[in-house]
Amino acid sequence: MEDDEACITGLCLGLGMGGHVPQKGKQKENKPVACLDLAFELCPKGETINLNHDKVESTDSDNSNNNNRCRKKLRLSKEQSSMLENSFKLHSTLNPVQKQALADQLNLKTRQVEVWFQNRRARTKLKQTEVDRELLKKHCQNLSDENKRLKKELQELRALKVGPSPLCIQLTKTATLTTCSSCEKLVKLNEGNKKIELEGRN
DNA sequence: ACTGTCAAGTGGAGAT
DNA sequence: ATCTCCACTTGACAGT
């Protein structure tokens, strides 16, 4: 276990904060939770504190005064965020050495750096799924349009088969139905007058 | 008041 | 057994 975490655990024991609620879908045993959020520091209600602290110290009075304390949320400074961001661009995961170095550099705990990277990866993944979803949506729409168009074209061809067959019929803006002069087969010409033979016609 | 963002907690799974 | 990652969740805070 990291020193930081040992420290935090020491701080947390007996505080009874951040209890665990069983999650839907996966029922888990309700462990007695005795952890204090890493980035939260006990403070008098309403007081603003600098949370970019060094190691957190724990005292018994902290614990006993817990009732009239609030939890403040850490917000990383712009410098910290941008340095983490730059580091993330280089590598989205960190080895313990890199983690420690970054933590030292930013005056954060290794656990905080680790959490930031975890959350950052989650955000990236979320964004990517959103992008993928949009792409698939577009692709699906294209396929649907193409399907409609082909169905329509098929309908027109079937109508042609039933009725009198003129030699050359404009099918769509891009395709023309005609009879091949050499083989006398019914063929479809695409935009470049490229011949597409139609199945089952002779 | 409501909503989105984000740091952090939790437990499970896999690797060592 | 321990570590690390992930999915899911919570809660503080900021913006509207």
Side-chain angles (χ1 to χ4, degrees):
Chain A
M1 187 188 275
E2 293 169 18
D3 292 341
D4 292 337
E5 293 196 67
C7 168
I8 296 300
T9 307
L11 175 64
C12 300
L13 289 171
L15 289 179
M17 298 176 76
H20 179 252
V21 180
Q23 298 167 5
K24 56 177 178 184
K26 43 176 180 180
Q27 201 75 358
K28 289 168 183 173
E29 94 183 271
N30 238 346
K31 280 185 10 182
V33 179
C35 281
L36 177 67
D37 302 348
L38 232 172
F40 297 116
E41 200 160 77
L42 295 172
C43 69
K45 214 162 185 92
E47 186 180 319
T48 306
I49 54 170
N50 173 19
L51 289 155
N52 295 330
H53 44 52
D54 291 315
K55 308 298 178 200
V56 178
E57 296 298 331
S58 170
T59 65
D60 285 333
S61 64
D62 278 338
N63 297 350
S64 59
N65 290 339
N66 186 32
N67 286 345
N68 53 1
R69 303 285 178 115
C70 66
R71 294 189 302 170
K72 286 280 170 187
K73 184 179 181 174
L74 165 77
R75 293 213 88 91
L76 298 169
S77 69
K78 279 185 180 175
E79 289 77 19
Q80 287 171 322
S81 294
S82 68
M83 283 193 75
L84 286 162
E85 201 63 55
N86 289 338
S87 180
F88 185 81
K89 277 176 195 163
L90 294 174
H91 18 62
S92 61
T93 51
L94 295 176
N95 62 39
V97 176
Q98 291 171 318
K99 202 187 297 175
Q100 186 61 60
L102 199 54
D104 290 343
Q105 203 178 349
L106 298 172
N107 198 24
L108 291 171
K109 295 178 172 63
T110 52
R111 170 70 182 152
Q112 286 177 297
V113 173
E114 188 179 297
V115 165
W116 188 91
F117 269 75
Q118 264 173 27
N119 285 321
R120 185 65 179 75
R121 283 193 293 271
R123 284 196 289 276
T124 303
K125 191 175 180 182
L126 203 68
K127 254 187 197 168
Q128 191 53 51
T129 14
E130 199 55 40
V131 168
D132 290 347
R133 204 177 73 93
E134 285 307 310
L135 279 173
L136 279 172
K137 220 168 125 183
K138 268 185 192 162
H139 189 233
C140 187
Q141 186 59 50
N142 287 344
L143 285 174
S144 177
D145 291 347
E146 176 72 355
N147 189 30
K148 266 185 201 165
R149 193 187 65 74
L150 288 171
K151 272 182 179 169
K152 197 181 168 194
E153 203 168 307
L154 183 64
Q155 224 173 2
E156 285 169 352
L157 286 170
R158 281 191 173 137
L160 241 163
K161 200 175 177 180
V162 172
S165 50
L167 285 178
C168 185
I169 296 155
Q170 190 70 32
L171 278 178
T172 64
K173 279 181 183 172
T174 56
T176 302
L177 193 66
T178 187
T179 307
C180 177
S181 53
S182 54
C183 61
E184 302 225 324
K185 276 183 181 171
L186 195 60
V187 293
K188 197 172 91 176
L189 298 177
N190 68 9
E191 235 169 344
N193 269 358
K194 200 174 171 192
K195 194 169 77 178
I196 305 163
E197 281 196 15
L198 290 168
E199 231 183 304
R201 301 288 298 210
N202 48 11

